[in-house]
Amino acid sequence: MFGPSKDLGGAVTQVMDQAYQLMTSFAGLKLASRADLEAYAVSCFVVIGRTPSSDDEQKSFEMYRANSRNVKIVTYDEILEQLKLLRKFLLPEDSER
């Protein structure tokens, strides 16, 4: 089994702390802004690195990602793949780019 990298662990901790800071200071922010703001369940998002290449590293990464409550973790290459699919979907069928 492989643990999360130092960078991934640090990023998850950082966004969780930022969510905590937002929730603890939310009442003051709402009062100061005079806006009709509400916060119920703050979720976090981390974009980091590449998808692991070995099966064991991939398994460990997926287990860590699946059990990271309130933190969505995606890799740069996953975003790139989604963008490629979106581009393919949006291009005309006769286009060969």
Side-chain angles (χ1 to χ4, degrees):
M1 286 290 141
F2 295 88
S5 69
K6 184 178 178 181
D7 290 336
L8 177 57
V12 169
T13 301
Q14 180 180 358
V15 297
M16 288 171 48
D17 182 60
Q18 289 171 345
Y20 172 78
Q21 295 297 326
L22 173 65
M23 293 305 293
T24 57
S25 61
F26 189 77
L29 293 170
K30 181 176 179 175
L31 186 62
S33 71
R34 298 183 187 201
D36 189 23
L37 302 173
E38 297 296 331
Y40 299 102
V42 176
S43 295
C44 303
F45 194 82
V46 172
V47 180
I48 190 164
R50 297 182 146 222
T51 303
S53 55
S54 78
D55 289 342
D56 289 340
E57 288 176 318
Q58 178 70 31
K59 177 183 173 186
S60 295
F61 175 69
E62 292 298 341
M63 288 173 31
Y64 181 79
R65 174 166 47 185
N67 288 290
S68 296
R69 285 187 351 177
N70 301 326
V71 180
K72 173 81 172 166
I73 302 169
V74 296
T75 61
Y76 291 110
D77 51 335
E78 290 171 329
I79 292 173
L80 179 60
E81 190 60 36
Q82 292 296 313
L83 288 171
K84 286 178 181 178
L85 288 171
L86 179 61
R87 182 176 182 262
K88 183 179 178 181
F89 175 75
L90 294 174
L91 281 176
E93 288 186 30
D94 60 344
S95 177
E96 289 294 325
R97 288 193 203 184

